[in-house]
């Protein structure tokens, strides 16, 4: 009873950075929500019960494919930024480090979480974003991911924005035709890149496979120009399933999420991609995809709310080891004492027992 009623609060590694990151993300979401209201963009409570305004229904030409609604809802919780800090700590990223990031329009929440974690840990990011978005992502042509990023930059919530942006989607240049992609989609992305004054990752059409190789080469060059070499980076963070970032078939091969060592990445036998190139250079990877697996045991999956700064990511209640050990010693001592005492009493009874006295 004494042991069970004597507990201590154990703070997780990186506790202060996690709290800071979650609060930064919370303030970023407030800025974007205000921006959404000012733009007259509809917030759909049926798909966005937490009313972040960052889950979109539009079947626009920017849409690259299907998406998982609950995963998008999960990444929009401020505590998701703390989870990113947790994996950055596992990857041994420290204050003053420089990391490369590949972002996507598919998960604006995860992008914001990564930026919040970088700011909280005083880590400098070199970012390349893809504008196309899967279903429920940033599919509104008037408010793409890079528009959101620019709004956060102008408000002072983040100090760094994307160095370049690509179209995203198939071959990193959207689909060639049809309801999604095509020339209309490409024109919308080009317009978004230009109005946000970001360098565009040029694309080749109509052969998407040829463009993928071209996109990887350009991305490689941008990262190298910023730091000198890929090996000079302290980590590479991939957000989403962009083919230029994780390669064709990368989603199936990279089943694990979060921090992954470069040795493990090389065992996956990925096709040419930025993840593979960074891993070849000895750089650790943080892979943000497969959200149910990533948040298991730390953040509620889906639309369920979680209070900012609370949960196992930050701290947990544990038994006081000193009290528990002393309690165990007392219990064992009592058991041994009773055992010895009982044995001595039984022996005494046996010695004093006289069968003839019965007769």
């Amino acid at each position: 009873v004494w042991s069970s009623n004597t507990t201590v609060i154990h703070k997780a590694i990186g506790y202060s950075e996690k709290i800071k990151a979650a609060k930064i993300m919370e303030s970023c979401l407030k800025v974007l929500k205000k921006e959404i209201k000012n733009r007259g963009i509809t917030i759909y409570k049926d798909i966005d019960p937490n009313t972040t305004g960052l889950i979109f229904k539009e079947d626009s030409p920017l849409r690259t494919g299907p998406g998982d609604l609950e995963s998008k809802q999960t990444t929009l919780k401020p505590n998701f930024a703390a989870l990113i800090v947790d994996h950055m700590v596992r990857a041994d990223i420290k204050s003053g480090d420089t990391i490369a990031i590949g972002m996507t329009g598919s998960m604006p929440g995860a992008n914001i979480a990564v930026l919040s974690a970088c700011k909280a840990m005083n880590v400098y990011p070199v970012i390349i974003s893809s504008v196309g978005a899967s279903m429920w992502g940033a599919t509104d042509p008037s408010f793409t991911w890079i528009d959101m990023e620019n709004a956060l930059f102008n408000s002072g919530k983040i100090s760094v924005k994307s160095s370049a942006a690509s179209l995203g989607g198939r071959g990193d240049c959207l689909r060639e035709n049809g309801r999604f992609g095509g020339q209309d989609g490409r024109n919308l992305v080009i317009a978004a890149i230009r109005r946000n004054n970001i360098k565009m990752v040029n694309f080749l059409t109509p052969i998407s496979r040829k463009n993928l190789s071209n996109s990887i080469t350009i991305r490689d060059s941008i990262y190298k120009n910023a730091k000198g070499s890929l090996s000079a980076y302290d980590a590479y963070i991939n957000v989403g399933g962009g083919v230029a970032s994780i390669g064709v078939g990368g989603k199936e091969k990279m089943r694990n999420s979060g921090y992954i060592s470069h040795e493990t990445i090389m065992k996956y036998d990925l096709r040419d991609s930025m993840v593979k190139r960074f891993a070849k250079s000895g750089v650790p990877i943080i892979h943000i995809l497969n959200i149910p697996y990533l948040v298991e045991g730390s953040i509620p999956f889906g639309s369920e709310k979680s209070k900012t700064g609370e949960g196992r990511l930050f701290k947990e209640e544990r038994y006081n080891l000193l009290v528990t050990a002393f309690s165990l010693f007392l219990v064992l001592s009592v058991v041994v004492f009773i055992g010895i005492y009982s044995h001595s009493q039984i022996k005494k009874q046996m010695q004093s027992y006289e069968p003839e006295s019965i007769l």
Side-chain angles (χ1 to χ4, degrees):
V1 171
W2 180 31
S3 177
S4 64
N5 284 283
T6 308
T7 56
V8 293
I9 301 299
H10 176 78
K11 290 183 179 179
I13 296 174
Y15 172 79
S16 59
E17 289 84 359
K18 288 178 179 179
I19 290 289
K20 190 175 180 180
K23 288 182 177 178
I24 291 171
M25 182 168 178
E26 192 171 51
S27 65
C28 286
L29 293 175
K30 287 179 180 178
V31 167
L32 292 178
K33 188 171 182 177
K34 184 178 179 180
E35 183 75 18
I36 284 166
K37 288 181 177 179
N38 291 339
R39 290 170 177 256
I41 297 174
T42 303
I43 297 177
Y44 301 98
K45 290 186 179 180
D46 57 329
I47 60 172
D48 188 12
N50 294 325
T51 62
T52 64
L54 298 180
I55 297 178
F56 300 85
K57 280 188 176 181
E58 283 79 11
D59 284 342
S60 76
L62 268 60
R63 188 174 145 193
T64 58
D68 181 55
L69 177 58
E70 288 185 300
S71 291
K72 308 293 172 78
Q73 293 169 339
T74 305
T75 61
L76 285 164
K77 298 174 184 179
N79 285 347
F80 195 78
L83 180 62
I84 302 301
V85 170
D86 192 65
H87 286 282
M88 288 173 71
V89 170
R90 293 186 195 185
D92 198 30
I93 299 171
K94 301 176 289 296
S95 175
D97 285 352
T98 300
I99 63 172
I101 308 173
M103 291 186 174
T104 173
S106 297
M107 287 194 288
N111 296 339
I112 297 166
V114 171
L115 291 172
S116 300
C118 287
K119 187 172 182 179
M121 293 184 69
N122 190 34
V123 170
Y124 182 81
V126 178
I127 310 160
I128 299 177
S129 291
S130 59
V131 180
S134 60
M135 190 174 183
W136 316 118
T139 56
D140 188 329
S142 69
F143 200 48
T144 66
W145 157 243
I146 54 177
D147 290 303
M148 298 177 195
E149 182 188 54
N150 197 52
L152 294 174
F153 181 80
N154 290 336
S155 69
K157 293 300 178 183
I158 60 173
S159 54
V160 181
K161 64 178 186 176
S162 296
S163 300
S166 69
L167 275 65
R170 186 173 182 179
D172 206 23
C173 59
L174 297 180
R175 295 179 184 274
E176 294 172 26
N177 47 50
R179 185 179 177 187
F180 306 119
Q183 195 55 49
D184 288 342
R186 290 176 181 142
N187 288 339
L188 288 169
V189 173
I190 292 170
I193 293 173
R194 285 176 177 170
R195 70 173 172 260
N196 288 290
N197 196 27
I198 297 175
K199 178 181 178 180
M200 184 170 71
V201 177
N202 290 323
F203 58 94
L204 303 171
T205 55
I207 306 173
S208 59
R209 287 186 180 179
K210 186 175 181 180
N211 184 70
L212 178 57
S213 176
N214 172 69
S215 178
I216 294 169
T217 300
I218 294 174
R219 287 167 178 259
D220 186 288
S221 177
I222 292 170
Y223 288 127
K224 284 179 179 176
N225 287 340
K227 192 67 177 173
S229 66
L230 297 186
S231 60
Y233 287 89
D234 296 288
Y236 176 69
I237 298 182
N238 166 68
V239 182
V243 287
S245 192
I246 63 175
V248 176
K251 288 182 182 180
E252 290 71 31
K253 292 180 179 180
M254 295 179 68
R255 292 291 184 181
N256 292 340
S257 294
Y259 161 64
I260 309 174
S261 68
H262 70 276
E263 296 95 342
T264 301
I265 291 292
M266 295 310 298
K267 292 178 183 178
Y268 291 151
D269 191 28
L270 298 174
R271 299 177 80 168
D272 190 24
S273 59
M274 289 315 305
V275 162
K276 184 171 183 177
R277 292 191 182 196
F278 272 107
K280 270 187 175 181
S281 300
V283 177
I285 306 298
I286 297 177
H287 182 47
I288 305 172
L289 196 61
N290 191 7
I291 304 303
Y293 172 86
L294 185 63
V295 303
E296 187 176 5
S298 59
I299 299 174
F301 182 67
S303 62
E304 182 184 341
K305 289 186 177 182
S306 57
K307 194 169 182 180
T308 302
E310 292 191 2
R312 292 181 61 189
L313 268 173
F314 304 92
K315 55 189 176 182
E316 59 182 329
E317 190 176 27
R318 295 182 180 179
Y319 291 115
N320 187 311
L321 292 179
L322 183 62
V323 173
T324 302
F326 189 64
S327 298
L328 179 62
F329 173 75
L330 283 178
V331 171
L332 289 176
S333 298
V334 170
V335 170
V336 171
F337 172 77
I338 292 174
I340 294 173
Y341 180 78
S342 298
H343 178 73
S344 65
Q345 290 298 310
I346 292 171
K347 187 176 180 180
K348 187 182 293 184
Q349 290 279 346
M350 292 296 292
Q351 289 175 346
S352 62
Y353 175 64
E354 298 179 4
E356 293 82 0
S357 64
I358 299 175
L359 299 174

